[in-house]
């Protein structure tokens, strides 16, 4: 398969209803409106055979193709320049948070790039950075986590989240949840931070989406005795 073959299949799988849904959530286009389940069912296995094809699909700028690229790419083979290129060319939060952040979290450059993006003045890059670090915590062994650094980031969130950029508030809140769910030694601090920040207001456009209350999510995981249970992959 080549890019033209895949794009033709994506167009055939797209629906107007799904396209409208993505647009309501902030997708600027171009896109066909393909359900994530259909990407996994019909195309991921084919694209996984060809790393360059996944890279080329991302470069089309088409949202469906970019999501497919993230599902099919081998993060361990991505270079730092390629990951930064993905971050720079993503044009909405679903791709930045679900694809760029997840792929980077599984790469050898996860923390280096997460911290770089967290300190960016660009809203989408900062959003990507917080998401990436949170996803890294969900898969990394405890010995690979810099606990002091995570504590400092929680302090930053306590002090700045309600004044942060709109999309960044969402992923900062998600970072607190990730710490509480995946870092047992930092559970108490994550709960304190969650209680301190309380409800976080994020403009979600013309959707019914809501920002999860961090303390509620953390306490649910505690009740299920799943604190520290890691995920196999960040990309999903």
């Amino acid at each position: 398969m080549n890019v033209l073959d895949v794009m033709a299949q994506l167009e055939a799988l797209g629906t107007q209803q799904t396209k409208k849904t993505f647009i309501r959530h902030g997708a600027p286009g171009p896109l066909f409106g393909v359900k994530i389940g259909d990407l996994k069912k019909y195309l991921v296995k084919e694209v996984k055979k060809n790393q360059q094809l996944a890279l080329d699909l991302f470069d089309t700028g088409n949202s469906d193709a970019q999501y497919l690229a993230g599902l099919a790419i081998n993060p361990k083979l991505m270079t730092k320049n390629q990951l930064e290129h993905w971050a720079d060319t993503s044009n909405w939060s679903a791709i930045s948070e679900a694809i760029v952040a997840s792929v980077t979290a599984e790469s050898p450059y996860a923390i280096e790039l997460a911290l770089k993006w967290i300190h960016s003045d660009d809203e989408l890059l900062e959003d990507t950075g917080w998401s990436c670090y949170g996803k890294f915590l969900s898969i990394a062994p405890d010995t690979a986590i810099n606990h002091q650094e995570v504590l400092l980031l929680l302090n930053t969130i306590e002090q700045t989240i309600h004044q942060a950029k709109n999309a960044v508030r969402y992923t900062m809140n998600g970072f607190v949840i990730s710490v509480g769910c995946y870092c047992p030694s930092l559970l108490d601090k994550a709960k304190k931070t969650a209680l301190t920040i309380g409800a976080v207001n994020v403009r979600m456009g013309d959707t019914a989406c809501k920002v999860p209350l961090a303390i509620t999510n953390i306490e649910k995981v505690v009740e299920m005795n799943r604190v520290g249970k890691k995920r196999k992959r960040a990309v999903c």
Side-chain angles (χ1 to χ4, degrees):
M1 297 181 74
N2 57 38
V3 171
L4 292 178
D5 295 330
V6 177
M7 295 302 286
Q9 291 197 44
L10 287 172
E11 185 172 12
L13 290 169
T15 68
Q16 283 301 309
Q17 183 57 50
T18 303
K19 184 175 181 179
K20 288 178 182 177
T21 298
F22 289 167
I23 290 172
R24 281 202 308 274
H25 282 77
L31 71 160
F32 299 123
V34 184
K35 294 178 181 178
I36 307 306
D38 286 343
L39 292 178
K40 294 178 179 179
K41 182 177 180 180
Y42 297 110
L43 288 170
V44 171
K45 287 183 180 179
E46 289 297 324
V47 180
K48 270 189 174 181
K49 300 174 183 178
N50 189 333
Q51 182 88 348
Q52 186 59 51
L53 176 57
L55 294 170
D56 292 341
L57 285 169
F58 197 94
D59 281 343
T60 64
N62 178 285
S63 182
D64 302 298
Q66 290 185 328
Y67 209 106
L68 174 60
L71 293 175
I73 202 80
N74 184 339
K76 298 292 190 292
L77 299 180
M78 293 278 284
T79 68
K80 183 163 62 174
N81 286 341
Q82 287 169 336
L83 292 164
E84 292 194 273
H85 172 67
W86 277 27
D88 289 336
T89 55
S90 168
N91 60 10
W92 72 296
S93 59
I95 299 301
S96 294
E97 295 170 13
I99 293 303
V100 181
S102 298
V103 171
T104 305
E106 293 189 19
S107 79
Y109 310 102
I111 296 305
E112 177 185 351
L113 290 178
L115 291 174
K116 178 179 180 178
W117 294 334
I118 282 172
H119 294 98
S120 171
D121 291 328
D122 182 273
E123 180 174 357
L124 205 52
L125 283 177
E126 188 178 355
D127 179 52
T128 308
W130 284 106
S131 181
C132 177
Y133 209 129
K135 290 176 184 297
F136 173 79
L137 296 178
S138 77
I139 61 173
D142 203 54
T143 53
I145 296 172
N146 184 331
H147 292 74
Q148 188 60 39
E149 184 174 78
V150 175
L151 283 171
L152 291 174
L153 291 171
L154 288 174
N155 288 334
T156 296
I157 290 171
E158 286 186 19
Q159 297 164 15
T160 66
I161 188 169
H162 295 295
Q163 293 78 45
K165 302 176 187 70
N166 188 64
V168 176
R169 294 197 294 272
Y170 187 87
T171 44
M172 278 183 162
N173 186 71
F175 179 85
V176 176
I177 295 171
S178 289
V179 177
C181 292
Y182 299 111
C183 302
S185 65
L186 298 176
L187 174 60
D188 289 342
K189 173 60 178 177
K191 290 171 69 174
K192 175 182 177 295
T193 300
L195 289 168
T196 299
I197 65 176
V200 177
N201 179 46
V202 177
R203 298 185 303 278
M204 308 288 278
D206 183 24
T207 74
C209 297
K210 297 180 180 179
V211 182
L213 193 63
I215 189 61
T216 300
N217 278 43
I218 293 171
E219 287 178 341
K220 284 181 180 178
V221 173
V222 172
E223 290 171 5
M224 293 187 294
N225 195 31
R226 292 189 59 82
V227 174
K229 302 292 185 183
K230 300 289 184 171
R231 298 171 55 187
K232 292 182 178 180
R233 294 204 64 190
V235 178
C236 61

